Amino acid sequence: MPKLSVLGSTGSIGTQALEVSKLRGFEICALTANSSVEALERQIREYRPRLAALADEKKAAGLKIRVKDTGTRVLSGIDGVCECAGCEADTVLNSIVGMAGLRPTLAAIEAGSEIALANKETLVAAGELVTSAAKEKGVRILPVDSEHSAIFQSLQGCADHSEIKRIILTASGGPFFGMNGDELSRVTLAQALKHPNWSMGAKITVDSATMMNKGLELIEAVWLFGVSPSQVDIVIHRQSVVHSLVEYSDNSVIAQLGVPDMRIPIQYALTYPHRYPSPVRQLNLEEWGKLTFESPDYDLFPCINICRGAIEKGGLYPAAANSANEAANELFRQGKIGFLDIAGLVEAETEQAPAVSGYTIDDVLLLDECIRRRIFNKVVR
Ligand code: NAD
Ligand code: MG
């Protein structure tokens, strides 16, 4: 049986990944989470991993006592999470949210495991480091994000990536699509957390509302598929049925479709290049009737173009955009800033980023710390 480790196993993607892995009969090597003691204890009892870790050290001490009878070794802190990532599973699915996933991704690559990547922030902040480490180790990075899985699936059979003309990322538009600036200035957290098509963790749900998620995905596509930023277009597709498209040099366009359900891309990343039956329901096109496509409003949702500008400039600019967004997104969720302040903070920090090329992981982590501190000081006085 293939061996799998799931990082961020208690989250929205993590729990669905475990559901898929159970159906496919994977053996679970390691499970990690941030602080959810009870959820991780339940998973340890069900999946019996060799290793488990909580990033929160105090909570890890509690978990250790609770699962003493199981034979699972409990580790703690970011080092514990990295040790779990490096436990030489065949595949490590990283569904940690945010920059906290970066060191674990690198640890899993170092151990030679294949990476099933949901943690897009890792590629946005350090795309150069992550992709070159994977190349050096001969490790594949398989996309879990639905759009990137769709692109990856649409690229099967493409012998030469120079035949790709354009990648078209679809975007649902989030809960605030069609609002004007005045309405956007008054939206609440509760409204931002109501995504029309997907049920996801809070951070990515807010990113979908600001459309920062699509900006992050643009950068993710550049690193995963080796295209230039100008080759990535974005189209609003409210129904989330066409998950993304590839346009080839002959203007033929290949897309992947399916009902919006993350268990399809998760399973494909875990079983690639094979396909198996899945619990996801069939796509019945007559039921949908009409699929619509339109342009995003880049003025009302400036995060997309901030990300496009950042990846065009390269270096640490994308890392700055990502870190500023993580801090601003968190402050919005804490009710400390308004919805439109998020893009303002992301823009200000991205403009100020140091123009460094050939950055190291320490540069990325230090920049992250500085930006978070600056934003928290600016807002929470
Ligand atoms: P979530 O908030 O539901 O789960 C996050 C997981 O990460 C949890 O297990 C949590 O314990 C763990 N975690 C949080 N902070 C941590 C830390 N500091 N150290 C270690 N572990 C930590 O999030 P999610 O919606 O499952 O998203 C996870 C990732 O997948 C994100 O990068 C997101 O952008 C991406 N993604 C999610 C979806 C989706 O449908 N939810 C779709 C595409 C991509
Ligand atoms: Mg996505």
Side-chain angles (χ1 to χ4, degrees):
M1 273 301 132
K3 291 189 188 139
L4 173 70
S5 293
V6 181
L7 315 178
S9 63
T10 58
S12 161
I13 293 289
T15 49
Q16 294 180 80
L18 283 176
E19 186 193 327
V20 168
S21 77
K22 192 172 176 178
L23 289 169
R24 299 262 51 85
F26 282 85
E27 179 187 332
I28 303 296
C29 290
L31 296 175
T32 80
N34 186 31
S35 59
S36 321
V37 177
E38 278 148 38
L40 195 55
E41 178 183 352
R42 270 197 305 278
Q43 293 181 345
I44 289 172
R45 295 199 180 280
E46 182 167 2
Y47 295 97
R48 300 285 163 163
R50 186 163 64 76
L51 294 177
L54 283 175
D56 182 312
E57 313 230 350
K58 266 201 198 127
K59 295 276 173 68
L63 179 68
K64 207 171 184 168
I65 297 166
R66 290 169 74 138
V67 300
K68 234 183 13 225
D69 58 303
T70 62
T72 295
R73 189 154 78 89
V74 176
L75 307 166
S76 68
I78 178 70
D79 291 337
V81 174
C82 287
E83 196 175 329
C84 286
C87 78
E88 297 179 0
D90 299 307
T91 303
V92 174
L93 186 140
N94 186 348
S95 54
I96 293 174
V97 60
M99 276 279 291
L102 178 55
R103 283 190 48 209
T105 297
L106 292 171
I109 292 173
E110 188 53 41
S113 302
E114 188 152 276
I115 310 293
L117 193 68
N119 177 236
K120 64 189 85 182
E121 295 90 348
T122 284
L123 273 184
V124 172
E128 176 95 61
L129 290 177
V130 172
T131 52
S132 57
K135 210 174 192 175
E136 215 169 279
K137 274 276 171 187
V139 157
R140 269 196 305 232
I141 301 179
L142 297 162
V144 169
D145 212 348
S146 59
E147 295 77 0
H148 304 75
S149 176
I151 295 160
F152 183 61
Q153 294 183 54
S154 302
L155 284 172
Q156 296 306 309
C158 169
D160 180 352
H161 276 211
S162 71
E163 294 164 4
I164 304 170
K165 191 167 175 185
R166 193 162 63 116
I167 279 174
I168 305 161
L169 284 179
T170 53
S172 73
F176 303 144
F177 177 78
M179 281 191 179
N180 62 35
D182 187 43
E183 288 164 328
L184 277 182
S185 69
R186 284 181 276 111
V187 297
T188 63
L189 174 62
Q191 290 171 305
L193 289 177
K194 277 205 195 96
H195 194 280
N197 304 338
W198 301 95
S199 158
M200 311 181 282
K203 192 256 177 186
I204 184 177
T205 306
V206 171
D207 284 347
S208 300
T210 58
M211 294 203 70
M212 181 69 184
N213 185 47
K214 219 41 63 177
L216 298 175
E217 290 185 354
L218 186 162
I219 299 173
E220 187 186 4
V222 166
W223 288 114
L224 282 173
F225 306 113
V227 292
S228 71
S230 62
Q231 284 176 286
V232 185
D233 278 346
I234 289 160
V235 67
I236 303 283
H237 166 49
R238 295 294 281 160
Q239 299 79 20
S240 300
V241 166
V242 179
H243 295 302
S244 279
L245 315 87
V246 176
E247 182 181 77
Y248 286 91
S249 46
D250 59 355
N251 288 342
S252 181
V253 178
I254 299 187
Q256 184 255 344
L257 286 74
V259 298
D261 190 315
M262 288 306 295
R263 289 172 300 180
I264 291 181
I266 290 170
Q267 176 163 291
Y268 192 65
L270 296 181
T271 63
Y272 172 80
H274 301 288
R275 293 185 186 270
Y276 295 93
S278 117
V280 176
R281 89 191 154 84
Q282 267 180 298
L283 174 65
N284 176 357
L285 283 171
E286 291 94 329
E287 199 182 290
W288 295 85
K290 201 156 101 183
L291 299 178
T292 59
F293 302 93
E294 49 205 304
S295 293
D297 186 327
Y298 292 104
D299 295 327
L300 280 177
F301 296 94
C303 288
I304 302 174
N305 279 338
I306 298 171
C307 288
R308 186 182 286 284
I311 186 65
E312 275 165 357
K313 285 200 251 175
L316 285 171
Y317 288 98
N322 177 65
S323 292
N325 178 59
E326 287 194 29
N329 180 311
E330 188 178 339
L331 288 168
F332 173 69
R333 280 181 284 133
Q334 292 169 349
K336 292 186 174 131
I337 60 173
F339 182 75
L340 293 179
D341 297 330
I342 301 175
L345 288 165
V346 173
E347 185 165 32
E349 288 297 336
T350 308
E351 275 171 5
Q352 287 186 44
V356 174
S357 60
Y359 57 84
T360 64
I361 178 154
D362 289 339
D363 294 331
V364 176
L365 296 175
L366 183 65
L367 178 72
D368 181 58
E369 210 182 299
C370 292
I371 289 179
R372 279 170 201 268
R373 195 171 326 119
R374 201 156 47 225
I375 290 184
F376 282 97
N377 287 342
K378 207 188 276 183
V379 172
V380 194
R381 263 173 296 225

PDB file of all heavy atoms in Angstrom, residues 150-168 245-255:
ATOM      1  N   ALA A 150      -6.968  21.019 -12.631  1.00  0.00           N
ATOM      2  CA  ALA A 150      -7.631  21.067 -13.948  1.00  0.00           C
ATOM      3  C   ALA A 150      -6.608  21.341 -15.052  1.00  0.00           C
ATOM      4  O   ALA A 150      -6.650  20.721 -16.125  1.00  0.00           O
ATOM      5  CB  ALA A 150      -8.709  22.140 -13.951  1.00  0.00           C
ATOM      6  N   ILE A 151      -5.695  22.259 -14.783  1.00  0.00           N
ATOM      7  CA  ILE A 151      -4.664  22.578 -15.782  1.00  0.00           C
ATOM      8  C   ILE A 151      -3.769  21.357 -15.990  1.00  0.00           C
ATOM      9  O   ILE A 151      -3.481  20.953 -17.120  1.00  0.00           O
ATOM     10  CB  ILE A 151      -3.824  23.799 -15.321  1.00  0.00           C
ATOM     11  CG1 ILE A 151      -4.714  25.037 -15.256  1.00  0.00           C
ATOM     12  CG2 ILE A 151      -2.638  24.035 -16.256  1.00  0.00           C
ATOM     13  CD1 ILE A 151      -4.140  26.141 -14.392  1.00  0.00           C
ATOM     14  N   PHE A 152      -3.355  20.766 -14.869  1.00  0.00           N
ATOM     15  CA  PHE A 152      -2.497  19.587 -14.926  1.00  0.00           C
ATOM     16  C   PHE A 152      -3.179  18.465 -15.726  1.00  0.00           C
ATOM     17  O   PHE A 152      -2.566  17.810 -16.566  1.00  0.00           O
ATOM     18  CB  PHE A 152      -2.194  19.139 -13.489  1.00  0.00           C
ATOM     19  CG  PHE A 152      -1.258  17.985 -13.372  1.00  0.00           C
ATOM     20  CD1 PHE A 152       0.034  18.062 -13.859  1.00  0.00           C
ATOM     21  CD2 PHE A 152      -1.662  16.804 -12.752  1.00  0.00           C
ATOM     22  CE1 PHE A 152       0.902  16.981 -13.736  1.00  0.00           C
ATOM     23  CE2 PHE A 152      -0.800  15.730 -12.630  1.00  0.00           C
ATOM     24  CZ  PHE A 152       0.479  15.815 -13.123  1.00  0.00           C
ATOM     25  N   GLN A 153      -4.469  18.278 -15.470  1.00  0.00           N
ATOM     26  CA  GLN A 153      -5.208  17.240 -16.203  1.00  0.00           C
ATOM     27  C   GLN A 153      -5.321  17.606 -17.684  1.00  0.00           C
ATOM     28  O   GLN A 153      -5.218  16.743 -18.551  1.00  0.00           O
ATOM     29  CB  GLN A 153      -6.597  17.041 -15.584  1.00  0.00           C
ATOM     30  CG  GLN A 153      -6.518  16.475 -14.166  1.00  0.00           C
ATOM     31  CD  GLN A 153      -7.887  16.196 -13.558  1.00  0.00           C
ATOM     32  OE1 GLN A 153      -8.692  15.497 -14.155  1.00  0.00           O
ATOM     33  NE2 GLN A 153      -8.145  16.737 -12.381  1.00  0.00           N
ATOM     34  N   SER A 154      -5.511  18.893 -17.969  1.00  0.00           N
ATOM     35  CA  SER A 154      -5.641  19.332 -19.367  1.00  0.00           C
ATOM     36  C   SER A 154      -4.301  19.286 -20.106  1.00  0.00           C
ATOM     37  O   SER A 154      -4.260  19.413 -21.321  1.00  0.00           O
ATOM     38  CB  SER A 154      -6.203  20.753 -19.432  1.00  0.00           C
ATOM     39  OG  SER A 154      -7.454  20.802 -18.779  1.00  0.00           O
ATOM     40  N   LEU A 155      -3.221  19.149 -19.338  1.00  0.00           N
ATOM     41  CA  LEU A 155      -1.881  19.080 -19.955  1.00  0.00           C
ATOM     42  C   LEU A 155      -1.426  17.647 -20.206  1.00  0.00           C
ATOM     43  O   LEU A 155      -0.361  17.436 -20.785  1.00  0.00           O
ATOM     44  CB  LEU A 155      -0.856  19.764 -19.041  1.00  0.00           C
ATOM     45  CG  LEU A 155      -0.861  21.299 -19.033  1.00  0.00           C
ATOM     46  CD1 LEU A 155       0.067  21.823 -17.950  1.00  0.00           C
ATOM     47  CD2 LEU A 155      -0.447  21.839 -20.393  1.00  0.00           C
ATOM     48  N   GLN A 156      -2.216  16.668 -19.749  1.00  0.00           N
ATOM     49  CA  GLN A 156      -1.811  15.279 -19.978  1.00  0.00           C
ATOM     50  C   GLN A 156      -1.773  15.051 -21.491  1.00  0.00           C
ATOM     51  O   GLN A 156      -2.724  15.373 -22.191  1.00  0.00           O
ATOM     52  CB  GLN A 156      -2.775  14.301 -19.304  1.00  0.00           C
ATOM     53  CG  GLN A 156      -2.795  14.416 -17.791  1.00  0.00           C
ATOM     54  CD  GLN A 156      -1.406  14.299 -17.166  1.00  0.00           C
ATOM     55  OE1 GLN A 156      -0.668  13.365 -17.442  1.00  0.00           O
ATOM     56  NE2 GLN A 156      -1.054  15.268 -16.336  1.00  0.00           N
ATOM     57  N   GLY A 157      -0.681  14.533 -21.974  1.00  0.00           N
ATOM     58  CA  GLY A 157      -0.563  14.329 -23.417  1.00  0.00           C
ATOM     59  C   GLY A 157       0.137  15.486 -24.110  1.00  0.00           C
ATOM     60  O   GLY A 157       0.428  15.411 -25.290  1.00  0.00           O
ATOM     61  N   CYS A 158       0.415  16.552 -23.377  1.00  0.00           N
ATOM     62  CA  CYS A 158       1.159  17.679 -23.972  1.00  0.00           C
ATOM     63  C   CYS A 158       2.645  17.343 -23.887  1.00  0.00           C
ATOM     64  O   CYS A 158       3.209  17.285 -22.793  1.00  0.00           O
ATOM     65  CB  CYS A 158       0.859  18.966 -23.211  1.00  0.00           C
ATOM     66  SG  CYS A 158       1.953  20.328 -23.639  1.00  0.00           S
ATOM     67  N   ALA A 159       3.257  17.079 -25.044  1.00  0.00           N
ATOM     68  CA  ALA A 159       4.646  16.611 -25.041  1.00  0.00           C
ATOM     69  C   ALA A 159       5.625  17.763 -24.825  1.00  0.00           C
ATOM     70  O   ALA A 159       6.724  17.565 -24.320  1.00  0.00           O
ATOM     71  CB  ALA A 159       4.942  15.913 -26.363  1.00  0.00           C
ATOM     72  N   ASP A 160       5.218  18.954 -25.186  1.00  0.00           N
ATOM     73  CA  ASP A 160       6.160  20.075 -25.168  1.00  0.00           C
ATOM     74  C   ASP A 160       5.427  21.320 -24.640  1.00  0.00           C
ATOM     75  O   ASP A 160       4.496  21.808 -25.284  1.00  0.00           O
ATOM     76  CB  ASP A 160       6.642  20.287 -26.618  1.00  0.00           C
ATOM     77  CG  ASP A 160       7.620  21.423 -26.726  1.00  0.00           C
ATOM     78  OD1 ASP A 160       7.815  22.151 -25.728  1.00  0.00           O
ATOM     79  OD2 ASP A 160       8.173  21.592 -27.823  1.00  0.00           O
ATOM     80  N   HIS A 161       5.871  21.804 -23.478  1.00  0.00           N
ATOM     81  CA  HIS A 161       5.159  22.930 -22.856  1.00  0.00           C
ATOM     82  C   HIS A 161       5.237  24.220 -23.679  1.00  0.00           C
ATOM     83  O   HIS A 161       4.500  25.166 -23.420  1.00  0.00           O
ATOM     84  CB  HIS A 161       5.661  23.153 -21.426  1.00  0.00           C
ATOM     85  CG  HIS A 161       4.977  22.253 -20.425  1.00  0.00           C
ATOM     86  ND1 HIS A 161       4.739  22.594 -19.124  1.00  0.00           N
ATOM     87  CD2 HIS A 161       4.442  21.011 -20.571  1.00  0.00           C
ATOM     88  CE1 HIS A 161       4.114  21.615 -18.501  1.00  0.00           C
ATOM     89  NE2 HIS A 161       3.934  20.639 -19.365  1.00  0.00           N
ATOM     90  N   SER A 162       6.150  24.252 -24.686  1.00  0.00           N
ATOM     91  CA  SER A 162       6.184  25.457 -25.526  1.00  0.00           C
ATOM     92  C   SER A 162       4.937  25.516 -26.418  1.00  0.00           C
ATOM     93  O   SER A 162       4.664  26.522 -27.059  1.00  0.00           O
ATOM     94  CB  SER A 162       7.458  25.493 -26.359  1.00  0.00           C
ATOM     95  OG  SER A 162       7.382  24.498 -27.361  1.00  0.00           O
ATOM     96  N   GLU A 163       4.171  24.413 -26.446  1.00  0.00           N
ATOM     97  CA  GLU A 163       2.916  24.420 -27.222  1.00  0.00           C
ATOM     98  C   GLU A 163       1.756  25.057 -26.446  1.00  0.00           C
ATOM     99  O   GLU A 163       0.667  25.226 -26.972  1.00  0.00           O
ATOM    100  CB  GLU A 163       2.544  22.974 -27.609  1.00  0.00           C
ATOM    101  CG  GLU A 163       3.538  22.364 -28.572  1.00  0.00           C
ATOM    102  CD  GLU A 163       3.430  20.844 -28.689  1.00  0.00           C
ATOM    103  OE1 GLU A 163       2.529  20.250 -28.067  1.00  0.00           O
ATOM    104  OE2 GLU A 163       4.274  20.266 -29.406  1.00  0.00           O
ATOM    105  N   ILE A 164       2.002  25.402 -25.177  1.00  0.00           N
ATOM    106  CA  ILE A 164       0.951  26.071 -24.386  1.00  0.00           C
ATOM    107  C   ILE A 164       0.945  27.539 -24.769  1.00  0.00           C
ATOM    108  O   ILE A 164       1.972  28.217 -24.679  1.00  0.00           O
ATOM    109  CB  ILE A 164       1.236  25.994 -22.865  1.00  0.00           C
ATOM    110  CG1 ILE A 164       1.409  24.547 -22.407  1.00  0.00           C
ATOM    111  CG2 ILE A 164       0.143  26.695 -22.072  1.00  0.00           C
ATOM    112  CD1 ILE A 164       1.919  24.425 -20.968  1.00  0.00           C
ATOM    113  N   LYS A 165      -0.221  28.028 -25.193  1.00  0.00           N
ATOM    114  CA  LYS A 165      -0.305  29.453 -25.509  1.00  0.00           C
ATOM    115  C   LYS A 165      -0.737  30.224 -24.254  1.00  0.00           C
ATOM    116  O   LYS A 165      -0.172  31.239 -23.923  1.00  0.00           O
ATOM    117  CB  LYS A 165      -1.326  29.629 -26.617  1.00  0.00           C
ATOM    118  CG  LYS A 165      -1.354  31.002 -27.239  1.00  0.00           C
ATOM    119  CD  LYS A 165      -2.169  30.884 -28.509  1.00  0.00           C
ATOM    120  CE  LYS A 165      -2.413  32.146 -29.213  1.00  0.00           C
ATOM    121  NZ  LYS A 165      -3.312  31.885 -30.358  1.00  0.00           N
ATOM    122  N   ARG A 166      -1.734  29.682 -23.573  1.00  0.00           N
ATOM    123  CA  ARG A 166      -2.343  30.442 -22.487  1.00  0.00           C
ATOM    124  C   ARG A 166      -2.978  29.478 -21.484  1.00  0.00           C
ATOM    125  O   ARG A 166      -3.492  28.429 -21.873  1.00  0.00           O
ATOM    126  CB  ARG A 166      -3.430  31.304 -23.113  1.00  0.00           C
ATOM    127  CG  ARG A 166      -4.002  32.390 -22.269  1.00  0.00           C
ATOM    128  CD  ARG A 166      -4.715  33.420 -23.172  1.00  0.00           C
ATOM    129  NE  ARG A 166      -5.840  32.844 -23.895  1.00  0.00           N
ATOM    130  CZ  ARG A 166      -7.120  33.208 -23.729  1.00  0.00           C
ATOM    131  NH1 ARG A 166      -7.430  34.143 -22.863  1.00  0.00           N
ATOM    132  NH2 ARG A 166      -8.087  32.653 -24.434  1.00  0.00           N
ATOM    133  N   ILE A 167      -2.914  29.883 -20.232  1.00  0.00           N
ATOM    134  CA  ILE A 167      -3.642  29.156 -19.196  1.00  0.00           C
ATOM    135  C   ILE A 167      -4.796  30.058 -18.763  1.00  0.00           C
ATOM    136  O   ILE A 167      -4.587  31.254 -18.525  1.00  0.00           O
ATOM    137  CB  ILE A 167      -2.699  28.826 -18.023  1.00  0.00           C
ATOM    138  CG1 ILE A 167      -1.867  27.577 -18.378  1.00  0.00           C
ATOM    139  CG2 ILE A 167      -3.462  28.622 -16.735  1.00  0.00           C
ATOM    140  CD1 ILE A 167      -0.816  27.236 -17.371  1.00  0.00           C
ATOM    141  N   ILE A 168      -5.986  29.514 -18.711  1.00  0.00           N
ATOM    142  CA  ILE A 168      -7.139  30.321 -18.302  1.00  0.00           C
ATOM    143  C   ILE A 168      -7.641  29.780 -16.969  1.00  0.00           C
ATOM    144  O   ILE A 168      -8.154  28.659 -16.885  1.00  0.00           O
ATOM    145  CB  ILE A 168      -8.260  30.275 -19.361  1.00  0.00           C
ATOM    146  CG1 ILE A 168      -7.698  30.700 -20.724  1.00  0.00           C
ATOM    147  CG2 ILE A 168      -9.427  31.181 -18.940  1.00  0.00           C
ATOM    148  CD1 ILE A 168      -8.550  30.276 -21.899  1.00  0.00           C
ATOM    149  N   LEU A 245      -8.685  25.990 -17.818  1.00  0.00           N
ATOM    150  CA  LEU A 245      -8.516  25.592 -19.224  1.00  0.00           C
ATOM    151  C   LEU A 245      -7.098  25.872 -19.694  1.00  0.00           C
ATOM    152  O   LEU A 245      -6.427  26.766 -19.176  1.00  0.00           O
ATOM    153  CB  LEU A 245      -9.491  26.368 -20.126  1.00  0.00           C
ATOM    154  CG  LEU A 245     -10.957  26.517 -19.667  1.00  0.00           C
ATOM    155  CD1 LEU A 245     -11.146  27.733 -18.766  1.00  0.00           C
ATOM    156  CD2 LEU A 245     -11.894  26.613 -20.851  1.00  0.00           C
ATOM    157  N   VAL A 246      -6.674  25.102 -20.707  1.00  0.00           N
ATOM    158  CA  VAL A 246      -5.380  25.350 -21.355  1.00  0.00           C
ATOM    159  C   VAL A 246      -5.637  25.618 -22.836  1.00  0.00           C
ATOM    160  O   VAL A 246      -6.322  24.837 -23.495  1.00  0.00           O
ATOM    161  CB  VAL A 246      -4.432  24.135 -21.223  1.00  0.00           C
ATOM    162  CG1 VAL A 246      -3.130  24.386 -21.982  1.00  0.00           C
ATOM    163  CG2 VAL A 246      -4.135  23.827 -19.765  1.00  0.00           C
ATOM    164  N   GLU A 247      -5.098  26.729 -23.322  1.00  0.00           N
ATOM    165  CA  GLU A 247      -5.190  27.035 -24.751  1.00  0.00           C
ATOM    166  C   GLU A 247      -3.842  26.706 -25.384  1.00  0.00           C
ATOM    167  O   GLU A 247      -2.807  27.153 -24.898  1.00  0.00           O
ATOM    168  CB  GLU A 247      -5.506  28.519 -24.937  1.00  0.00           C
ATOM    169  CG  GLU A 247      -5.676  28.946 -26.378  1.00  0.00           C
ATOM    170  CD  GLU A 247      -5.958  30.441 -26.465  1.00  0.00           C
ATOM    171  OE1 GLU A 247      -4.995  31.232 -26.319  1.00  0.00           O
ATOM    172  OE2 GLU A 247      -7.118  30.826 -26.629  1.00  0.00           O
ATOM    173  N   TYR A 248      -3.885  25.910 -26.431  1.00  0.00           N
ATOM    174  CA  TYR A 248      -2.655  25.490 -27.104  1.00  0.00           C
ATOM    175  C   TYR A 248      -2.356  26.390 -28.310  1.00  0.00           C
ATOM    176  O   TYR A 248      -3.187  27.227 -28.697  1.00  0.00           O
ATOM    177  CB  TYR A 248      -2.788  24.034 -27.540  1.00  0.00           C
ATOM    178  CG  TYR A 248      -2.687  23.075 -26.362  1.00  0.00           C
ATOM    179  CD1 TYR A 248      -3.809  22.660 -25.667  1.00  0.00           C
ATOM    180  CD2 TYR A 248      -1.443  22.613 -25.925  1.00  0.00           C
ATOM    181  CE1 TYR A 248      -3.722  21.809 -24.576  1.00  0.00           C
ATOM    182  CE2 TYR A 248      -1.341  21.758 -24.839  1.00  0.00           C
ATOM    183  CZ  TYR A 248      -2.478  21.362 -24.173  1.00  0.00           C
ATOM    184  OH  TYR A 248      -2.364  20.523 -23.090  1.00  0.00           O
ATOM    185  N   SER A 249      -1.172  26.165 -28.916  1.00  0.00           N
ATOM    186  CA  SER A 249      -0.729  27.030 -30.020  1.00  0.00           C
ATOM    187  C   SER A 249      -1.675  27.003 -31.220  1.00  0.00           C
ATOM    188  O   SER A 249      -1.718  27.943 -31.999  1.00  0.00           O
ATOM    189  CB  SER A 249       0.694  26.664 -30.439  1.00  0.00           C
ATOM    190  OG  SER A 249       0.801  25.275 -30.551  1.00  0.00           O
ATOM    191  N   ASP A 250      -2.455  25.910 -31.363  1.00  0.00           N
ATOM    192  CA  ASP A 250      -3.386  25.854 -32.501  1.00  0.00           C
ATOM    193  C   ASP A 250      -4.763  26.426 -32.137  1.00  0.00           C
ATOM    194  O   ASP A 250      -5.727  26.250 -32.885  1.00  0.00           O
ATOM    195  CB  ASP A 250      -3.528  24.402 -32.979  1.00  0.00           C
ATOM    196  CG  ASP A 250      -4.038  23.472 -31.877  1.00  0.00           C
ATOM    197  OD1 ASP A 250      -4.196  23.947 -30.719  1.00  0.00           O
ATOM    198  OD2 ASP A 250      -4.282  22.283 -32.152  1.00  0.00           O
ATOM    199  N   ASN A 251      -4.842  27.093 -30.962  1.00  0.00           N
ATOM    200  CA  ASN A 251      -6.099  27.667 -30.453  1.00  0.00           C
ATOM    201  C   ASN A 251      -7.126  26.619 -30.027  1.00  0.00           C
ATOM    202  O   ASN A 251      -8.295  26.939 -29.831  1.00  0.00           O
ATOM    203  CB  ASN A 251      -6.747  28.655 -31.430  1.00  0.00           C
ATOM    204  CG  ASN A 251      -5.955  29.944 -31.484  1.00  0.00           C
ATOM    205  OD1 ASN A 251      -5.157  30.218 -30.582  1.00  0.00           O
ATOM    206  ND2 ASN A 251      -6.158  30.728 -32.532  1.00  0.00           N
ATOM    207  N   SER A 252      -6.702  25.390 -29.910  1.00  0.00           N
ATOM    208  CA  SER A 252      -7.563  24.378 -29.306  1.00  0.00           C
ATOM    209  C   SER A 252      -7.516  24.597 -27.789  1.00  0.00           C
ATOM    210  O   SER A 252      -6.451  24.878 -27.232  1.00  0.00           O
ATOM    211  CB  SER A 252      -7.018  22.990 -29.659  1.00  0.00           C
ATOM    212  OG  SER A 252      -7.841  22.009 -29.103  1.00  0.00           O
ATOM    213  N   VAL A 253      -8.669  24.503 -27.149  1.00  0.00           N
ATOM    214  CA  VAL A 253      -8.729  24.732 -25.706  1.00  0.00           C
ATOM    215  C   VAL A 253      -9.213  23.457 -25.014  1.00  0.00           C
ATOM    216  O   VAL A 253     -10.235  22.894 -25.397  1.00  0.00           O
ATOM    217  CB  VAL A 253      -9.683  25.900 -25.367  1.00  0.00           C
ATOM    218  CG1 VAL A 253      -9.788  26.098 -23.858  1.00  0.00           C
ATOM    219  CG2 VAL A 253      -9.190  27.191 -26.023  1.00  0.00           C
ATOM    220  N   ILE A 254      -8.448  22.991 -24.031  1.00  0.00           N
ATOM    221  CA  ILE A 254      -8.832  21.785 -23.288  1.00  0.00           C
ATOM    222  C   ILE A 254      -9.104  22.173 -21.836  1.00  0.00           C
ATOM    223  O   ILE A 254      -8.323  22.900 -21.217  1.00  0.00           O
ATOM    224  CB  ILE A 254      -7.725  20.704 -23.371  1.00  0.00           C
ATOM    225  CG1 ILE A 254      -7.526  20.317 -24.848  1.00  0.00           C
ATOM    226  CG2 ILE A 254      -8.101  19.482 -22.534  1.00  0.00           C
ATOM    227  CD1 ILE A 254      -6.598  19.164 -25.081  1.00  0.00           C
ATOM    228  N   ALA A 255     -10.238  21.703 -21.330  1.00  0.00           N
ATOM    229  CA  ALA A 255     -10.629  22.063 -19.959  1.00  0.00           C
ATOM    230  C   ALA A 255     -10.964  20.814 -19.170  1.00  0.00           C
ATOM    231  O   ALA A 255     -11.175  19.742 -19.743  1.00  0.00           O
ATOM    232  CB  ALA A 255     -11.854  22.969 -19.997  1.00  0.00           C
TER     233      ALA A 255
END
